[in-house]
Amino acid sequence: MSVLPEDDAVELLTRGEMELEGRLVDASNTTLRAEITLDGLTRRCVYKPVRGERPLWDFPDGTLAGREVSAYLVSQSTGWGLVPPTILRDGPLGVGACQLWIDEPDDASSLIGFVPAYDVPEGWLAVASARDEEGDAYALAHADDPRLARLAVLDAVINNADRKGGHVLYAPDDRVFGVDHGVSFHVENKLRTVLWGWTGKALPAEAVETLSSLRAALDGSLGEALEEHLTISEVQHIRLRVKRLLRVAKFPDPPTDWPAVPWPPV
């Protein structure tokens, strides 16, 4: 099933009638799949009610849904369309984040994973070393793909603390989407990702241009929209991260005081 045009998807998510189908049991917070219908159009969505958020020691209670929406707003402003349409709305279990479901084709090939250390595919970038239960050497690696590079830039901007390989989805139209951004936008550096393959390399010219436009948007309507979901300090730190990326013009280095790769990575 093709991905809906963005405006149609937002309208459906905002005004559609939601009917719950079931819970995604692997998620740490209450995450539900639902059908949503408006004027004869039906699609699936992911619904994350605020009341189902598990308290975290480093993020304020009840803020994860707003961070999901904020990630979409930043993605939308870049023009890259990396986060599926996401809104905050009332649902069967109260207010929560509602995001368009992305149907991955059965033959979709992952661009991130563990590969034999001696056989990293051509065009892939090794990130970390690992061994299986028998002691065989593997590498956590990802493709040197411009779609993933865009996602790495977005993660640096929003300070995403949980970019697992399983949080990258592959749509039928060859688009790549990032999901699960509830632990983003912290004021402290918490960037944790499997997309470290470009560490220290120069940002692509298109990323520099996009970040320049994003900096202007953060001083205007985007900044105002984000302040509905984040604190003023958190929005200010987005501006600081964008300015830093533009000044250095390189992909960021892994943190030294925080685990650089989430667990499990994929």
Side-chain angles (χ1 to χ4, degrees):
M1 186 178 295
S2 61
V3 178
L4 277 178
E6 189 165 322
D7 289 346
D8 293 345
V10 170
E11 181 75 3
L12 174 64
L13 294 173
T14 303
R15 298 180 49 233
E17 182 177 349
M18 193 186 304
E19 183 175 345
L20 299 182
E21 291 185 319
R23 180 173 180 176
L24 305 183
V25 295
D26 291 337
S28 55
N29 298 293
T30 300
T31 302
L32 305 161
R33 192 174 76 172
E35 280 195 339
I36 192 162
T37 301
L38 179 67
D39 298 333
L41 176 66
T42 299
R43 287 290 190 275
R44 283 195 169 106
C45 67
V46 176
Y47 166 52
K48 298 181 179 181
V50 171
R51 70 169 66 175
E53 294 178 5
R54 184 181 64 180
L56 300 173
W57 67 270
D58 51 349
F59 283 84
D61 293 350
T63 67
L64 304 191
R67 296 173 194 276
E68 296 269 12
V69 176
S70 297
Y72 167 66
L73 293 174
V74 174
S75 167
Q76 184 185 42
S77 185
T78 65
W80 287 340
L82 295 171
V83 179
T86 311
I87 60 133
L88 196 67
R89 61 162 285 175
D90 199 11
L93 297 180
V95 173
C98 184
Q99 183 176 84
L100 187 69
W101 179 274
I102 301 299
D103 281 307
E104 295 185 283
D106 293 336
D107 59 352
S109 297
S110 176
L111 300 176
I112 305 165
F114 285 101
V115 296
Y118 57 84
D119 194 23
V120 176
E122 184 177 355
W124 280 49
L125 304 170
V127 172
S129 300
R131 290 189 179 275
D132 65 10
E133 294 178 352
E134 276 119 29
D136 293 328
Y138 281 81
L140 174 64
H142 62 75
D144 186 5
D145 188 293
R147 296 168 296 177
L148 293 184
R150 288 177 170 181
L151 195 56
V153 173
L154 176 69
D155 284 341
V157 170
I158 69 175
N159 197 17
N160 186 3
D162 197 29
R163 174 62 68 210
K164 296 181 173 75
H167 294 171
V168 179
L169 306 181
Y170 308 94
D173 57 2
D174 287 332
R175 291 175 63 187
V176 168
F177 289 98
V179 297
D180 286 330
H181 300 107
V183 286
S184 299
F185 298 103
H186 203 284
V187 296
E188 299 174 5
N189 180 23
K190 291 185 178 288
L191 182 59
R192 211 165 43 161
T193 175
V194 295
L195 299 177
W196 289 117
W198 299 281
T199 295
K201 294 184 179 180
L203 292 173
E206 71 146 3
V208 173
E209 181 178 347
T210 297
L211 288 169
S212 297
S213 298
L214 187 61
R215 179 169 60 180
L218 284 164
D219 290 331
S221 59
L222 175 60
E224 294 175 2
L226 291 172
E227 286 180 6
E228 296 181 12
H229 306 289
L230 305 171
T231 66
I232 293 175
S233 179
E234 286 169 339
V235 176
Q236 180 61 23
H237 275 77
I238 305 171
R239 296 188 180 99
L240 292 174
R241 288 192 292 272
V242 170
K243 289 178 181 178
R244 189 179 304 120
L245 285 166
L246 285 169
R247 183 178 68 250
V248 177
K250 294 180 180 179
F251 286 91
D253 294 323
T256 57
D257 57 349
W258 180 259
V261 176
W263 186 262
V266 294

